[in-house]
Amino acid sequence: MSPNNLTQVTEFILMGISELPELQIPLFCVFLVIYGMTVVENLGIITLTSVDSRLQTPMYFFLRHLAIINLGNSTVIAPNMLVNFLATRKTISYYGCAAQLGGFAFFIVAEIFMLSVMAYDRYVAICNPLLYMVVVSRRICLLLVSLTYLQSLTTALTVSSCVFSVSYCSSNVINHFYCDDVPLLALSCSDTHIPETAVFTFSGINLLFSMTVVLISYFHIVVAMLRIRSSEGRRKAFSTCGSHMMAVTVFYGTLLFMYLQPRTNHSLDTDKMASVFYTLVIPMLNPVIYSLRNKDVKDALKRFLNNPCQSLRPM
């Protein structure tokens, strides 16, 4: 077929999680509840860590940015997904799809690096407690967060520009509930070697670097905890990093399940189920993990509910 006979795609059709008509309303209700809880919980974490005078430490500074990232990640995906559950034609415009892919890439990479920054923060707090406020100063906190967002923006711009640099012709049905790089490249009618290489390289480097930081940090944390002789001391040390360890395990476990499965068993349907977890479920779970296991957050919530003005930090 000659290039002149190819029709350039102007919109995409998202197949969603399920094509069964009888499941659309139940799925809409389930994910509306999940997204509503995500918004309320993450806004709660952002508010508490912003206004409470006792939560003005590096750990809660990073936790606030993790909540912002979780909220952003869900908001990029969920509203359009919820509309499509009720829509007859589950479409998204060409540029809307590009924006969604860029937003998803930005927030997912930001979460990867924010979790590694928080692991480093816990490493310093447990292994070098006397130097904690010097090593993790406000300037260092701002630098680490800025570098996280800069790398996320670089990855998002590179991945989205590479994916949308190829041609999309007659086929425009995406086997997913949002615009992701793998199902999009599967639709291309031109050579996808360069964008696939770019996506794989950026994904591999980001994941490898962040996991290396997390593993090294927690190796030293575990060694330091084993050297503590008193059970009370071990309990206090574990309480400072237990919530983060749980969040890291859930998040990286999902990513590793998705990317390390054999190619012979790999399918887009499996990708969709894993994507539901790390784009919608984990952003809802993270605030619960940090609040239920964190006495400071629970106390801050009680103070805020009992007397909002009294809990405000001084300007």
Side-chain angles (χ1 to χ4, degrees), residues 102-118:
F104 164 72
F106 176 85
F107 287 113
I108 203 70
V109 172
E111 183 164 2
I112 289 173
F113 280 98
M114 191 55 62
L115 288 173
S116 63
V117 166
M118 294 174 74

Side-chain angles (χ1 to χ4, degrees), residues 72 98 136:
V136 193

Side-chain angles (χ1 to χ4, degrees), residues 5 19 75 98 130 158-160 170 198 258 263:
N5 293 330
E19 296 181 82
T75 302
L130 297 179
T158 303
V159 168
S160 57
S170 55
M258 179 174 173
R263 280 291 164 190

Side-chain angles (χ1 to χ4, degrees), residues 4-292:
N4 292 331
N5 293 330
L6 296 177
T7 303
Q8 188 68 27
V9 167
T10 58
E11 66 177 14
F12 293 97
I13 298 173
L14 295 166
M15 290 179 64
I17 295 177
S18 173
E19 296 181 82
L20 297 175
E22 63 270 20
L23 289 181
Q24 301 307 301
I25 298 299
L27 286 173
F28 171 82
C29 295
V30 169
F31 286 104
L32 180 63
V33 170
I34 290 175
Y35 181 59
M37 292 177 64
T38 300
V39 172
V40 171
E41 291 169 359
N42 283 286
L43 284 178
I45 292 290
I46 294 168
T47 301
L48 287 178
T49 55
S50 298
V51 305
D52 194 280
S53 58
R54 302 183 193 183
L55 298 183
Q56 304 309 306
T57 63
M59 181 175 74
Y60 295 110
F61 175 77
F62 296 135
L63 179 58
R64 176 163 69 250
H65 282 277
L66 180 64
I68 293 170
I69 291 165
N70 285 160
L71 182 60
N73 196 13
S74 286
T75 302
V76 166
I77 305 297
N80 185 74
M81 176 187 181
L82 291 170
V83 169
N84 283 341
F85 278 129
L86 305 178
T88 304
R89 295 187 72 247
K90 308 176 190 299
T91 60
I92 185 170
S93 69
Y94 181 89
Y95 294 106
C97 189
Q100 188 178 62
L101 174 63
F104 164 72
F106 176 85
F107 287 113
I108 203 70
V109 172
E111 183 164 2
I112 289 173
F113 280 98
M114 191 55 62
L115 288 173
S116 63
V117 166
M118 294 174 74
Y120 172 74
D121 170 72
R122 293 300 84 206
Y123 155 73
V124 178
I126 292 175
C127 299
N128 297 288
L130 297 179
L131 298 176
Y132 179 65
M133 296 309 297
V134 176
V135 176
V136 193
S137 63
R138 179 167 179 79
R139 179 177 296 181
I140 295 298
C141 289
L142 291 172
L143 176 62
L144 291 173
V145 170
S146 298
L147 289 175
T148 293
Y149 289 136
L150 179 62
Q151 177 62 16
S152 302
L153 181 61
T154 302
T155 301
L157 291 175
T158 303
V159 168
S160 57
S161 61
C162 284
V163 170
F164 282 88
S165 66
V166 299
S167 298
Y168 295 96
C169 307
S170 55
S171 180
N172 68 336
V173 180
I174 303 175
N175 185 18
H176 218 311
F177 59 91
Y178 68 94
C179 293
D180 198 7
D181 46 32
V182 174
L184 270 169
L185 290 174
L187 298 179
S188 176
C189 56
S190 60
D191 182 31
T192 59
H193 175 71
I194 293 178
E196 284 177 348
T197 303
V199 169
F200 178 80
T201 301
F202 270 84
S203 300
I205 291 174
N206 289 335
L207 194 56
L208 180 62
F209 179 81
S210 62
M211 285 193 66
T212 300
V213 172
V214 169
L215 291 174
I216 292 175
S217 297
Y218 275 102
F219 172 78
H220 288 289
I221 288 172
V222 171
V223 170
M225 289 171 62
L226 292 176
R227 290 175 179 170
I228 300 174
R229 296 187 177 181
S230 67
S231 58
E232 179 66 17
R234 284 201 197 100
R235 188 191 65 79
K236 288 183 178 179
F238 181 77
S239 67
T240 65
C241 61
S243 300
H244 184 258
M245 288 177 66
M246 188 181 300
V248 165
T249 301
V250 172
F251 183 76
Y252 282 107
T254 305
L255 287 182
L256 291 176
F257 168 79
M258 179 174 173
Y259 287 107
L260 295 184
Q261 54 184 314
R263 280 291 164 190
T264 54
N265 298 331
H266 192 88
S267 70
L268 289 176
D269 289 333
T270 304
D271 287 353
K272 282 196 284 188
M273 293 303 103
S275 298
V276 166
F277 206 76
Y278 65 71
T279 59
L280 299 170
V281 177
I282 288 179
M284 178 192 68
L285 290 179
N286 276 345
V288 176
I289 292 172
Y290 282 104
S291 60
L292 289 181

Side-chain angles (χ1 to χ4, degrees), residues 288-303:
V288 176
I289 292 172
Y290 282 104
S291 60
L292 289 181
R293 295 186 55 86
N294 193 305
K295 185 175 182 297
D296 292 339
V297 174
K298 289 188 286 187
D299 290 343
L301 179 59
K302 291 177 183 177
R303 288 194 300 271

